[in-house]
Amino acid sequence: MVSTALHEFEDEAPVPSGVAGLDEILVGGFSRSNVHLVEGAPGTGKTTLGLQFLLDGRERGERGLYVTLSETKRELARSARTHGWSLDGIEIFELVPPELTLDPEQEQTLVYASDLELGETVSMVRKEVERVKPERVVFDSVSEIRLLSQGSLRYRRQVLALKNFLALQNCTSLFLDDLTQQAEETSLHSMVHGVVRLHQTALQFGGDRRRLQISKLRGREYKGGFHDFVIRKGGLQVFPRLIAAEHERHFSPTEPVSSGIGELDALLGGGLSRGTSTLIMGPSGTGKSSLTLQIIDAALKRGEKVLIVSFDETRRVLMARAEGLSIDLGPPMASGQLTLQHIDPAELSPGQLIGMIRQHVEDGVQVVALDSLTGYQNAMPEESYLILHMHELLSYLGQQGVMTLLVLAQHGLVGPMQSSVDLTYISDTVLLLRFFEASGKIRRAMSVMKKRTGPHEETIREFRISSDGLRVGPALEQFHGVLTGVPAFSGPPSTLLEPKPDEA
């Protein structure tokens, strides 16, 4: 009889958490009729998560009970109002000294938790659960039980008894622990069904970064590792770590699409391929962003949806740059065909960025441009993390059939050049831009160093930037020293592009 009941119990559907993104990590939600531990330092969002859990239950017609030994009902209501919530319909049971409420006329009966014996405290909680008969319970916090216990053995026995009681009442419960008593208290981990750990890190510059980790979920599949989350009006929002293999989607390969410039298409062996990434790299001023805008303009004219993620230039500057190339981004932005997101890497975590890109791709975006990866790198704690993030992101975009444009600035203007991070091996196509000198003038040249999806020209072509956009010239054969960073041209001046009157 017992084994059959347990088998049926394990087959029950998970209980949604009410937190955007968390259910994806939990693969459905919390385990029904079990106790889960939510632990983290003060300020990491435990109470907010608990309230969201109960509010989600209220929306589904489930009774919820919030047992608090540290905050008053008024304080909880005030916190809820900051998120635009009402706690109507949720039972709140307080075990706090009345002098903390500053309201002697309140209707709620208060009990001195500090004067209670541990057994009496647990007994009162059990009576309240029997009275309310909730499906969801939040207990805030077990650190108060730890104080009343005055011993680890007694503490463990009482928590275990409370856990078993709640399971018999078919309550899906969250125990909150602020970890203020012991820095690494893990005695609860073996007793509860799952453990959610909330972390908050203060960077040397910029906003705090918050991450969560599922360190245990008994008998259930879940997504391990750290996942970024934020607390904003409306509660917690979690950004699950991107695992490209979970989003595989097969699409039929198509012919290369045009960049909008015939000579550049010839250099690329016919154009760019969907589902691939193109790294456009070179020193500052060579025209990487202008070339990216030219390719984006061609995609917009084909009717494709485009996302531009700009780290270095504001919307106003980027719009002005496009206008200087005779590219009008206003109409496609107004219609929703083009989305331009200016990102401050000091305020946005990598998980938020990837979550934003995923949302746009799910909404039908076919071209994504990141300008530049130097700004993206500033959002990473270490360089190695950038490569791992980019590998998953590019794999995901490739599986969705998205054409990705990556802009990477190299250090220096002339001479040997280096990049702050090497992404050439994870990019499908590498387009190299360089300055060169000829006839006493500074000129620009481009070449394709790599293309996985087909053949390409091995030549170098000059290009110029004007108010009419980019002009790419014929292949130039009289070049040497390209890879040194200072290409030298020894051919006749007649083979070079002549400037137009409006060109500098």
Side-chain angles (χ1 to χ4, degrees), residues 166-195:
L166 291 173
L168 289 174
Q169 302 299 314
N170 292 323
C171 297
T172 305
S173 309
L174 302 184
F175 283 6
L176 310 187
D177 188 0
D178 56 18
L179 302 177
T180 54
Q181 303 305 315
Q182 298 183 36
E184 293 296 333
E185 173 62 56
T186 59
S187 61
L188 283 179
H189 290 198
S190 61
M191 292 186 285
V192 298
H193 199 81
V195 179

Side-chain angles (χ1 to χ4, degrees), residues 67-324:
V67 180
T68 172
L69 286 81
S70 55
E71 292 187 78
T72 67
K73 183 175 181 179
R74 174 173 291 185
E75 290 172 328
L76 288 172
R78 185 182 301 114
S79 298
R81 284 196 299 270
T82 63
H83 292 288
W85 301 332
S86 169
L87 298 183
D88 294 342
I90 296 177
E91 294 285 341
I92 298 178
F93 182 57
E94 302 174 76
L95 288 171
V96 295
E99 61 267 21
L100 295 182
T101 67
L102 300 179
D103 186 6
E105 303 298 330
Q106 63 177 315
E107 299 177 0
Q108 176 69 38
T109 301
L110 300 177
V111 183
Y112 286 85
S114 58
D115 294 340
L116 291 173
E117 291 293 336
L118 176 61
E120 187 178 356
T121 303
V122 175
S123 176
M124 294 184 64
V125 173
R126 293 178 60 169
K127 290 180 181 178
E128 187 67 11
V129 171
E130 291 173 345
R131 182 186 72 84
V132 177
K133 294 181 173 54
E135 285 104 327
R136 302 190 184 201
V137 175
V138 173
F139 193 92
D140 184 9
S141 70
V142 293
S143 60
E144 301 294 336
I145 297 293
R146 188 183 297 117
L147 280 175
L148 291 173
S149 301
Q150 299 181 352
S152 59
L153 179 59
R154 192 179 182 206
Y155 166 64
R156 184 180 178 88
R157 284 179 175 175
Q158 290 294 338
V159 172
L160 188 59
L162 186 59
K163 167 208 165 185
N164 292 335
F165 169 75
L166 291 173
L168 289 174
Q169 302 299 314
N170 292 323
C171 297
T172 305
S173 309
L174 302 184
F175 283 6
L176 310 187
D177 188 0
D178 56 18
L179 302 177
T180 54
Q181 303 305 315
Q182 298 183 36
E184 293 296 333
E185 173 62 56
T186 59
S187 61
L188 283 179
H189 290 198
S190 61
M191 292 186 285
V192 298
H193 199 81
V195 179
V196 180
R197 184 73 177 265
L198 306 182
H199 302 262
Q200 182 175 0
T201 305
L203 303 181
Q204 293 184 350
F205 180 82
D208 291 351
R209 298 288 169 83
R210 290 184 168 91
R211 301 187 298 172
L212 66 81
Q213 178 188 21
I214 311 298
S215 57
K216 172 185 177 181
L217 193 59
R218 187 175 292 160
R220 290 272 310 283
E221 181 184 3
Y222 64 92
K223 293 185 179 180
F226 289 102
H227 309 269
D228 292 339
F229 75 94
V230 295
I231 303 176
R232 53 168 63 110
K233 185 173 182 179
L236 270 70
Q237 181 177 1
V238 181
F239 305 96
R241 179 171 57 85
L242 179 62
I243 304 175
E246 297 179 351
H247 304 275
E248 186 172 358
R249 188 187 76 179
H250 298 286
F251 69 98
S252 301
T254 60
E255 293 295 323
V257 294
S258 174
S259 63
I261 306 172
E263 293 81 2
L264 177 57
D265 290 342
L267 185 64
L268 291 167
L272 298 174
S273 300
R274 299 189 187 279
T276 65
S277 58
T278 300
L279 178 63
I280 303 174
M281 59 189 300
S284 177
T286 47
K288 301 181 299 297
S289 297
S290 298
L291 177 57
T292 303
L293 285 172
Q294 190 77 48
I295 298 173
I296 288 172
D297 183 52
L300 292 172
K301 291 177 179 177
R302 290 193 299 268
E304 300 174 11
K305 292 189 69 173
V306 178
L307 169 65
I308 301 176
V309 181
S310 175
F311 294 93
D312 305 324
E313 296 180 336
T314 64
R315 180 189 299 261
R316 179 182 58 82
V317 173
L318 197 145
M319 294 282 287
R321 178 194 290 272
E323 185 178 351

